PDB file of all heavy atoms in Angstrom:
ATOM      1  N   HIS N   1       1.929 -22.524 -12.396  1.00  0.00           N
ATOM      2  CA  HIS N   1       2.228 -22.251 -10.989  1.00  0.00           C
ATOM      3  C   HIS N   1       3.139 -21.032 -10.844  1.00  0.00           C
ATOM      4  O   HIS N   1       2.966 -20.208  -9.942  1.00  0.00           O
ATOM      5  CB  HIS N   1       2.895 -23.471 -10.358  1.00  0.00           C
ATOM      6  CG  HIS N   1       1.921 -24.528  -9.966  1.00  0.00           C
ATOM      7  ND1 HIS N   1       2.252 -25.869  -9.902  1.00  0.00           N
ATOM      8  CD2 HIS N   1       0.612 -24.465  -9.607  1.00  0.00           C
ATOM      9  CE1 HIS N   1       1.198 -26.570  -9.527  1.00  0.00           C
ATOM     10  NE2 HIS N   1       0.196 -25.745  -9.356  1.00  0.00           N
ATOM     11  N   SER N   2       4.111 -20.910 -11.754  1.00  0.00           N
ATOM     12  CA  SER N   2       5.044 -19.779 -11.721  1.00  0.00           C
ATOM     13  C   SER N   2       4.316 -18.457 -11.954  1.00  0.00           C
ATOM     14  O   SER N   2       4.547 -17.470 -11.250  1.00  0.00           O
ATOM     15  CB  SER N   2       6.133 -19.981 -12.778  1.00  0.00           C
ATOM     16  OG  SER N   2       6.997 -18.864 -12.822  1.00  0.00           O
ATOM     17  N   GLU N   3       3.443 -18.438 -12.951  1.00  0.00           N
ATOM     18  CA  GLU N   3       2.698 -17.211 -13.265  1.00  0.00           C
ATOM     19  C   GLU N   3       1.762 -16.823 -12.123  1.00  0.00           C
ATOM     20  O   GLU N   3       1.613 -15.644 -11.796  1.00  0.00           O
ATOM     21  CB  GLU N   3       1.898 -17.409 -14.556  1.00  0.00           C
ATOM     22  CG  GLU N   3       2.746 -17.522 -15.807  1.00  0.00           C
ATOM     23  CD  GLU N   3       3.444 -16.221 -16.158  1.00  0.00           C
ATOM     24  OE1 GLU N   3       2.895 -15.144 -15.867  1.00  0.00           O
ATOM     25  OE2 GLU N   3       4.553 -16.277 -16.722  1.00  0.00           O
ATOM     26  N   LEU N   4       1.127 -17.823 -11.512  1.00  0.00           N
ATOM     27  CA  LEU N   4       0.241 -17.549 -10.381  1.00  0.00           C
ATOM     28  C   LEU N   4       1.037 -16.980  -9.206  1.00  0.00           C
ATOM     29  O   LEU N   4       0.600 -16.024  -8.562  1.00  0.00           O
ATOM     30  CB  LEU N   4      -0.483 -18.820  -9.950  1.00  0.00           C
ATOM     31  CG  LEU N   4      -1.380 -18.684  -8.709  1.00  0.00           C
ATOM     32  CD1 LEU N   4      -2.513 -17.681  -8.955  1.00  0.00           C
ATOM     33  CD2 LEU N   4      -1.955 -20.046  -8.303  1.00  0.00           C
ATOM     34  N   GLN N   5       2.203 -17.562  -8.943  1.00  0.00           N
ATOM     35  CA  GLN N   5       3.039 -17.079  -7.843  1.00  0.00           C
ATOM     36  C   GLN N   5       3.488 -15.648  -8.082  1.00  0.00           C
ATOM     37  O   GLN N   5       3.510 -14.817  -7.146  1.00  0.00           O
ATOM     38  CB  GLN N   5       4.258 -18.001  -7.678  1.00  0.00           C
ATOM     39  CG  GLN N   5       5.142 -17.676  -6.488  1.00  0.00           C
ATOM     40  CD  GLN N   5       4.406 -17.772  -5.164  1.00  0.00           C
ATOM     41  OE1 GLN N   5       3.504 -18.598  -4.996  1.00  0.00           O
ATOM     42  NE2 GLN N   5       4.763 -16.917  -4.215  1.00  0.00           N
ATOM     43  N   GLN N   6       3.833 -15.323  -9.322  1.00  0.00           N
ATOM     44  CA  GLN N   6       4.233 -13.955  -9.656  1.00  0.00           C
ATOM     45  C   GLN N   6       3.089 -12.979  -9.423  1.00  0.00           C
ATOM     46  O   GLN N   6       3.295 -11.874  -8.902  1.00  0.00           O
ATOM     47  CB  GLN N   6       4.696 -13.877 -11.110  1.00  0.00           C
ATOM     48  CG  GLN N   6       6.046 -14.519 -11.373  1.00  0.00           C
ATOM     49  CD  GLN N   6       6.454 -14.417 -12.831  1.00  0.00           C
ATOM     50  OE1 GLN N   6       6.067 -13.493 -13.545  1.00  0.00           O
ATOM     51  NE2 GLN N   6       7.232 -15.381 -13.302  1.00  0.00           N
ATOM     52  N   LEU N   7       1.882 -13.388  -9.809  1.00  0.00           N
ATOM     53  CA  LEU N   7       0.715 -12.531  -9.600  1.00  0.00           C
ATOM     54  C   LEU N   7       0.504 -12.274  -8.110  1.00  0.00           C
ATOM     55  O   LEU N   7       0.236 -11.133  -7.702  1.00  0.00           O
ATOM     56  CB  LEU N   7      -0.526 -13.186 -10.205  1.00  0.00           C
ATOM     57  CG  LEU N   7      -1.860 -12.456  -9.970  1.00  0.00           C
ATOM     58  CD1 LEU N   7      -1.831 -11.073 -10.613  1.00  0.00           C
ATOM     59  CD2 LEU N   7      -3.028 -13.273 -10.512  1.00  0.00           C
ATOM     60  N   LYS N   8       0.633 -13.305  -7.308  1.00  0.00           N
ATOM     61  CA  LYS N   8       0.439 -13.160  -5.858  1.00  0.00           C
ATOM     62  C   LYS N   8       1.524 -12.271  -5.249  1.00  0.00           C
ATOM     63  O   LYS N   8       1.256 -11.473  -4.342  1.00  0.00           O
ATOM     64  CB  LYS N   8       0.444 -14.538  -5.193  1.00  0.00           C
ATOM     65  CG  LYS N   8      -0.789 -15.369  -5.567  1.00  0.00           C
ATOM     66  CD  LYS N   8      -0.644 -16.821  -5.216  1.00  0.00           C
ATOM     67  CE  LYS N   8      -0.731 -17.076  -3.747  1.00  0.00           C
ATOM     68  NZ  LYS N   8      -0.746 -18.525  -3.440  1.00  0.00           N
ATOM     69  N   GLU N   9       2.734 -12.384  -5.777  1.00  0.00           N
ATOM     70  CA  GLU N   9       3.840 -11.581  -5.246  1.00  0.00           C
ATOM     71  C   GLU N   9       3.668 -10.093  -5.568  1.00  0.00           C
ATOM     72  O   GLU N   9       3.839  -9.241  -4.689  1.00  0.00           O
ATOM     73  CB  GLU N   9       5.169 -12.093  -5.797  1.00  0.00           C
ATOM     74  CG  GLU N   9       5.600 -13.419  -5.178  1.00  0.00           C
ATOM     75  CD  GLU N   9       6.848 -13.989  -5.822  1.00  0.00           C
ATOM     76  OE1 GLU N   9       7.379 -13.337  -6.755  1.00  0.00           O
ATOM     77  OE2 GLU N   9       7.295 -15.069  -5.407  1.00  0.00           O
ATOM     78  N   VAL N  10       3.342  -9.784  -6.824  1.00  0.00           N
ATOM     79  CA  VAL N  10       3.175  -8.367  -7.186  1.00  0.00           C
ATOM     80  C   VAL N  10       1.943  -7.790  -6.486  1.00  0.00           C
ATOM     81  O   VAL N  10       1.908  -6.601  -6.146  1.00  0.00           O
ATOM     82  CB  VAL N  10       3.063  -8.175  -8.717  1.00  0.00           C
ATOM     83  CG1 VAL N  10       4.363  -8.543  -9.397  1.00  0.00           C
ATOM     84  CG2 VAL N  10       1.905  -8.952  -9.309  1.00  0.00           C
ATOM     85  N   SER N  11       0.943  -8.628  -6.262  1.00  0.00           N
ATOM     86  CA  SER N  11      -0.241  -8.183  -5.528  1.00  0.00           C
ATOM     87  C   SER N  11       0.124  -7.844  -4.087  1.00  0.00           C
ATOM     88  O   SER N  11      -0.352  -6.848  -3.530  1.00  0.00           O
ATOM     89  CB  SER N  11      -1.315  -9.280  -5.558  1.00  0.00           C
ATOM     90  OG  SER N  11      -2.442  -8.909  -4.800  1.00  0.00           O
ATOM     91  N   SER N  12       0.985  -8.663  -3.495  1.00  0.00           N
ATOM     92  CA  SER N  12       1.428  -8.420  -2.126  1.00  0.00           C
ATOM     93  C   SER N  12       2.238  -7.138  -2.032  1.00  0.00           C
ATOM     94  O   SER N  12       2.078  -6.347  -1.082  1.00  0.00           O
ATOM     95  CB  SER N  12       2.264  -9.608  -1.638  1.00  0.00           C
ATOM     96  OG  SER N  12       2.726  -9.387  -0.323  1.00  0.00           O
ATOM     97  N   VAL N  13       3.099  -6.910  -3.014  1.00  0.00           N
ATOM     98  CA  VAL N  13       3.921  -5.681  -3.040  1.00  0.00           C
ATOM     99  C   VAL N  13       3.024  -4.450  -3.158  1.00  0.00           C
ATOM    100  O   VAL N  13       3.237  -3.448  -2.471  1.00  0.00           O
ATOM    101  CB  VAL N  13       4.923  -5.731  -4.222  1.00  0.00           C
ATOM    102  CG1 VAL N  13       5.583  -4.373  -4.421  1.00  0.00           C
ATOM    103  CG2 VAL N  13       5.978  -6.796  -3.969  1.00  0.00           C
ATOM    104  N   ARG N  14       2.013  -4.536  -4.015  1.00  0.00           N
ATOM    105  CA  ARG N  14       1.114  -3.388  -4.187  1.00  0.00           C
ATOM    106  C   ARG N  14       0.331  -3.120  -2.900  1.00  0.00           C
ATOM    107  O   ARG N  14       0.113  -1.958  -2.545  1.00  0.00           O
ATOM    108  CB  ARG N  14       0.145  -3.626  -5.337  1.00  0.00           C
ATOM    109  CG  ARG N  14      -0.868  -2.481  -5.510  1.00  0.00           C
ATOM    110  CD  ARG N  14      -1.405  -2.373  -6.888  1.00  0.00           C
ATOM    111  NE  ARG N  14      -2.456  -1.379  -7.007  1.00  0.00           N
ATOM    112  CZ  ARG N  14      -2.244  -0.069  -7.046  1.00  0.00           C
ATOM    113  NH1 ARG N  14      -1.020   0.421  -6.955  1.00  0.00           N
ATOM    114  NH2 ARG N  14      -3.260   0.769  -7.154  1.00  0.00           N
ATOM    115  N   ARG N  15      -0.065  -4.157  -2.210  1.00  0.00           N
ATOM    116  CA  ARG N  15      -0.782  -3.965  -0.943  1.00  0.00           C
ATOM    117  C   ARG N  15       0.089  -3.176   0.040  1.00  0.00           C
ATOM    118  O   ARG N  15      -0.389  -2.245   0.686  1.00  0.00           O
ATOM    119  CB  ARG N  15      -1.163  -5.316  -0.342  1.00  0.00           C
ATOM    120  CG  ARG N  15      -1.591  -5.227   1.119  1.00  0.00           C
ATOM    121  CD  ARG N  15      -2.084  -6.541   1.637  1.00  0.00           C
ATOM    122  NE  ARG N  15      -3.502  -6.700   1.372  1.00  0.00           N
ATOM    123  CZ  ARG N  15      -4.466  -6.151   2.121  1.00  0.00           C
ATOM    124  NH1 ARG N  15      -4.154  -5.394   3.155  1.00  0.00           N
ATOM    125  NH2 ARG N  15      -5.715  -6.354   1.833  1.00  0.00           N
ATOM    126  N   VAL N  16       1.357  -3.548   0.156  1.00  0.00           N
ATOM    127  CA  VAL N  16       2.275  -2.854   1.073  1.00  0.00           C
ATOM    128  C   VAL N  16       2.419  -1.384   0.676  1.00  0.00           C
ATOM    129  O   VAL N  16       2.387  -0.490   1.535  1.00  0.00           O
ATOM    130  CB  VAL N  16       3.658  -3.540   1.074  1.00  0.00           C
ATOM    131  CG1 VAL N  16       4.675  -2.704   1.860  1.00  0.00           C
ATOM    132  CG2 VAL N  16       3.555  -4.935   1.681  1.00  0.00           C
ATOM    133  N   LYS N  17       2.565  -1.129  -0.620  1.00  0.00           N
ATOM    134  CA  LYS N  17       2.713   0.255  -1.097  1.00  0.00           C
ATOM    135  C   LYS N  17       1.456   1.078  -0.822  1.00  0.00           C
ATOM    136  O   LYS N  17       1.536   2.249  -0.442  1.00  0.00           O
ATOM    137  CB  LYS N  17       3.032   0.261  -2.591  1.00  0.00           C
ATOM    138  CG  LYS N  17       4.441  -0.244  -2.920  1.00  0.00           C
ATOM    139  CD  LYS N  17       4.715  -0.178  -4.417  1.00  0.00           C
ATOM    140  CE  LYS N  17       6.127  -0.631  -4.724  1.00  0.00           C
ATOM    141  NZ  LYS N  17       6.424  -0.569  -6.180  1.00  0.00           N
ATOM    142  N   LEU N  18       0.300   0.455  -1.022  1.00  0.00           N
ATOM    143  CA  LEU N  18      -0.959   1.162  -0.755  1.00  0.00           C
ATOM    144  C   LEU N  18      -1.120   1.434   0.738  1.00  0.00           C
ATOM    145  O   LEU N  18      -1.607   2.495   1.129  1.00  0.00           O
ATOM    146  CB  LEU N  18      -2.139   0.348  -1.278  1.00  0.00           C
ATOM    147  CG  LEU N  18      -2.363   0.384  -2.793  1.00  0.00           C
ATOM    148  CD1 LEU N  18      -3.424  -0.627  -3.200  1.00  0.00           C
ATOM    149  CD2 LEU N  18      -2.784   1.786  -3.237  1.00  0.00           C
ATOM    150  N   GLN N  19      -0.697   0.483   1.562  1.00  0.00           N
ATOM    151  CA  GLN N  19      -0.770   0.690   3.011  1.00  0.00           C
ATOM    152  C   GLN N  19       0.137   1.848   3.440  1.00  0.00           C
ATOM    153  O   GLN N  19      -0.241   2.671   4.280  1.00  0.00           O
ATOM    154  CB  GLN N  19      -0.369  -0.599   3.744  1.00  0.00           C
ATOM    155  CG  GLN N  19      -1.432  -1.690   3.668  1.00  0.00           C
ATOM    156  CD  GLN N  19      -0.979  -3.003   4.261  1.00  0.00           C
ATOM    157  OE1 GLN N  19       0.216  -3.294   4.322  1.00  0.00           O
ATOM    158  NE2 GLN N  19      -1.925  -3.815   4.701  1.00  0.00           N
ATOM    159  N   ASP N  20       1.347   1.896   2.844  1.00  0.00           N
ATOM    160  CA  ASP N  20       2.272   2.999   3.137  1.00  0.00           C
ATOM    161  C   ASP N  20       1.683   4.330   2.684  1.00  0.00           C
ATOM    162  O   ASP N  20       1.776   5.338   3.400  1.00  0.00           O
ATOM    163  CB  ASP N  20       3.618   2.770   2.441  1.00  0.00           C
ATOM    164  CG  ASP N  20       4.408   1.632   3.068  1.00  0.00           C
ATOM    165  OD1 ASP N  20       4.066   1.244   4.201  1.00  0.00           O
ATOM    166  OD2 ASP N  20       5.359   1.143   2.429  1.00  0.00           O
ATOM    167  N   ALA N  21       1.085   4.326   1.480  1.00  0.00           N
ATOM    168  CA  ALA N  21       0.479   5.552   0.955  1.00  0.00           C
ATOM    169  C   ALA N  21      -0.682   5.991   1.833  1.00  0.00           C
ATOM    170  O   ALA N  21      -0.876   7.192   2.080  1.00  0.00           O
ATOM    171  CB  ALA N  21       0.007   5.332  -0.480  1.00  0.00           C
ATOM    172  N   LEU N  22      -1.436   5.025   2.319  1.00  0.00           N
ATOM    173  CA  LEU N  22      -2.580   5.333   3.187  1.00  0.00           C
ATOM    174  C   LEU N  22      -2.109   5.961   4.492  1.00  0.00           C
ATOM    175  O   LEU N  22      -2.676   6.967   4.946  1.00  0.00           O
ATOM    176  CB  LEU N  22      -3.365   4.041   3.465  1.00  0.00           C
ATOM    177  CG  LEU N  22      -4.693   4.189   4.211  1.00  0.00           C
ATOM    178  CD1 LEU N  22      -5.661   5.068   3.427  1.00  0.00           C
ATOM    179  CD2 LEU N  22      -5.316   2.818   4.464  1.00  0.00           C
ATOM    180  N   GLU N  23      -1.058   5.405   5.067  1.00  0.00           N
ATOM    181  CA  GLU N  23      -0.510   5.956   6.315  1.00  0.00           C
ATOM    182  C   GLU N  23       0.039   7.356   6.084  1.00  0.00           C
ATOM    183  O   GLU N  23      -0.140   8.250   6.923  1.00  0.00           O
ATOM    184  CB  GLU N  23       0.588   5.038   6.858  1.00  0.00           C
ATOM    185  CG  GLU N  23       0.087   3.712   7.382  1.00  0.00           C
ATOM    186  CD  GLU N  23      -0.927   3.879   8.503  1.00  0.00           C
ATOM    187  OE1 GLU N  23      -0.710   4.734   9.381  1.00  0.00           O
ATOM    188  OE2 GLU N  23      -1.954   3.171   8.487  1.00  0.00           O
ATOM    189  N   SER N  24       0.705   7.554   4.951  1.00  0.00           N
ATOM    190  CA  SER N  24       1.262   8.877   4.631  1.00  0.00           C
ATOM    191  C   SER N  24       0.164   9.923   4.500  1.00  0.00           C
ATOM    192  O   SER N  24       0.295  11.058   4.987  1.00  0.00           O
ATOM    193  CB  SER N  24       2.059   8.810   3.328  1.00  0.00           C
ATOM    194  OG  SER N  24       3.180   7.975   3.464  1.00  0.00           O
ATOM    195  N   GLN N  25      -0.914   9.546   3.821  1.00  0.00           N
ATOM    196  CA  GLN N  25      -2.029  10.479   3.657  1.00  0.00           C
ATOM    197  C   GLN N  25      -2.681  10.803   5.001  1.00  0.00           C
ATOM    198  O   GLN N  25      -3.073  11.954   5.252  1.00  0.00           O
ATOM    199  CB  GLN N  25      -3.070   9.892   2.694  1.00  0.00           C
ATOM    200  CG  GLN N  25      -2.614   9.811   1.242  1.00  0.00           C
ATOM    201  CD  GLN N  25      -2.443  11.171   0.605  1.00  0.00           C
ATOM    202  OE1 GLN N  25      -2.939  12.181   1.100  1.00  0.00           O
ATOM    203  NE2 GLN N  25      -1.703  11.222  -0.504  1.00  0.00           N
ATOM    204  N   LYS N  26      -2.773   9.804   5.876  1.00  0.00           N
ATOM    205  CA  LYS N  26      -3.355  10.042   7.203  1.00  0.00           C
ATOM    206  C   LYS N  26      -2.470  10.967   8.021  1.00  0.00           C
ATOM    207  O   LYS N  26      -2.959  11.897   8.678  1.00  0.00           O
ATOM    208  CB  LYS N  26      -3.535   8.711   7.938  1.00  0.00           C
ATOM    209  CG  LYS N  26      -4.685   7.869   7.420  1.00  0.00           C
ATOM    210  CD  LYS N  26      -4.800   6.567   8.204  1.00  0.00           C
ATOM    211  CE  LYS N  26      -5.985   5.726   7.717  1.00  0.00           C
ATOM    212  NZ  LYS N  26      -6.086   4.437   8.456  1.00  0.00           N
ATOM    213  N   VAL N  27      -1.165  10.720   7.972  1.00  0.00           N
ATOM    214  CA  VAL N  27      -0.221  11.591   8.694  1.00  0.00           C
ATOM    215  C   VAL N  27      -0.274  13.000   8.131  1.00  0.00           C
ATOM    216  O   VAL N  27      -0.255  13.984   8.877  1.00  0.00           O
ATOM    217  CB  VAL N  27       1.214  11.023   8.595  1.00  0.00           C
ATOM    218  CG1 VAL N  27       2.226  12.027   9.119  1.00  0.00           C
ATOM    219  CG2 VAL N  27       1.325   9.728   9.367  1.00  0.00           C
ATOM    220  N   GLY N  28      -0.337  13.105   6.828  1.00  0.00           N
ATOM    221  CA  GLY N  28      -0.403  14.418   6.188  1.00  0.00           C
ATOM    222  C   GLY N  28      -1.653  15.178   6.593  1.00  0.00           C
ATOM    223  O   GLY N  28      -1.601  16.388   6.858  1.00  0.00           O
ATOM    224  N   ARG N  29      -2.778  14.462   6.665  1.00  0.00           N
ATOM    225  CA  ARG N  29      -4.029  15.121   7.069  1.00  0.00           C
ATOM    226  C   ARG N  29      -3.958  15.567   8.523  1.00  0.00           C
ATOM    227  O   ARG N  29      -4.392  16.669   8.858  1.00  0.00           O
ATOM    228  CB  ARG N  29      -5.209  14.178   6.856  1.00  0.00           C
ATOM    229  CG  ARG N  29      -6.530  14.765   7.311  1.00  0.00           C
ATOM    230  CD  ARG N  29      -7.725  13.946   6.854  1.00  0.00           C
ATOM    231  NE  ARG N  29      -7.948  14.079   5.424  1.00  0.00           N
ATOM    232  CZ  ARG N  29      -9.046  13.620   4.804  1.00  0.00           C
ATOM    233  NH1 ARG N  29      -9.985  12.997   5.494  1.00  0.00           N
ATOM    234  NH2 ARG N  29      -9.190  13.764   3.498  1.00  0.00           N
ATOM    235  N   VAL N  30      -3.380  14.717   9.378  1.00  0.00           N
ATOM    236  CA  VAL N  30      -3.240  15.090  10.793  1.00  0.00           C
ATOM    237  C   VAL N  30      -2.308  16.285  10.927  1.00  0.00           C
ATOM    238  O   VAL N  30      -2.568  17.220  11.693  1.00  0.00           O
ATOM    239  CB  VAL N  30      -2.696  13.895  11.616  1.00  0.00           C
ATOM    240  CG1 VAL N  30      -2.324  14.348  13.027  1.00  0.00           C
ATOM    241  CG2 VAL N  30      -3.726  12.799  11.679  1.00  0.00           C
ATOM    242  N   GLY N  31      -1.195  16.286  10.166  1.00  0.00           N
ATOM    243  CA  GLY N  31      -0.248  17.403  10.208  1.00  0.00           C
ATOM    244  C   GLY N  31      -0.892  18.697   9.762  1.00  0.00           C
ATOM    245  O   GLY N  31      -0.684  19.754  10.370  1.00  0.00           O
ATOM    246  N   LEU N  32      -1.677  18.619   8.688  1.00  0.00           N
ATOM    247  CA  LEU N  32      -2.363  19.810   8.188  1.00  0.00           C
ATOM    248  C   LEU N  32      -3.355  20.323   9.214  1.00  0.00           C
ATOM    249  O   LEU N  32      -3.488  21.540   9.429  1.00  0.00           O
ATOM    250  CB  LEU N  32      -3.086  19.467   6.874  1.00  0.00           C
ATOM    251  CG  LEU N  32      -3.818  20.618   6.176  1.00  0.00           C
ATOM    252  CD1 LEU N  32      -2.831  21.718   5.810  1.00  0.00           C
ATOM    253  CD2 LEU N  32      -4.549  20.121   4.942  1.00  0.00           C
ATOM    254  N   SER N  33      -4.022  19.394   9.864  1.00  0.00           N
ATOM    255  CA  SER N  33      -4.976  19.778  10.905  1.00  0.00           C
ATOM    256  C   SER N  33      -4.275  20.464  12.067  1.00  0.00           C
ATOM    257  O   SER N  33      -4.744  21.458  12.600  1.00  0.00           O
ATOM    258  CB  SER N  33      -5.721  18.536  11.392  1.00  0.00           C
ATOM    259  OG  SER N  33      -6.607  18.859  12.441  1.00  0.00           O
ATOM    260  N   CYS N  34      -3.083  19.926  12.431  1.00  0.00           N
ATOM    261  CA  CYS N  34      -2.313  20.520  13.530  1.00  0.00           C
ATOM    262  C   CYS N  34      -1.836  21.916  13.178  1.00  0.00           C
ATOM    263  O   CYS N  34      -1.861  22.841  14.002  1.00  0.00           O
ATOM    264  CB  CYS N  34      -1.107  19.642  13.866  1.00  0.00           C
ATOM    265  SG  CYS N  34      -1.542  18.092  14.665  1.00  0.00           S
ATOM    266  N   VAL N  35      -1.384  22.087  11.927  1.00  0.00           N
ATOM    267  CA  VAL N  35      -0.929  23.405  11.479  1.00  0.00           C
ATOM    268  C   VAL N  35      -2.076  24.399  11.524  1.00  0.00           C
ATOM    269  O   VAL N  35      -1.926  25.542  11.966  1.00  0.00           O
ATOM    270  CB  VAL N  35      -0.354  23.314  10.045  1.00  0.00           C
ATOM    271  CG1 VAL N  35      -0.132  24.708   9.478  1.00  0.00           C
ATOM    272  CG2 VAL N  35       0.956  22.542  10.059  1.00  0.00           C
ATOM    273  N   SER N  36      -3.241  23.968  11.089  1.00  0.00           N
ATOM    274  CA  SER N  36      -4.414  24.844  11.099  1.00  0.00           C
ATOM    275  C   SER N  36      -4.785  25.236  12.517  1.00  0.00           C
ATOM    276  O   SER N  36      -5.090  26.397  12.809  1.00  0.00           O
ATOM    277  CB  SER N  36      -5.597  24.147  10.419  1.00  0.00           C
ATOM    278  OG  SER N  36      -5.296  23.849   9.079  1.00  0.00           O
TER     279      SER N  36
END
């Protein structure tokens, strides 16, 4: 149960980081488009 919970927790953390990275890339693309 402990190992499963750890897997779910690190998976949740990675999801948040990927979501942040996705938003950053979208903002960056919009910014580049605005500059152009």
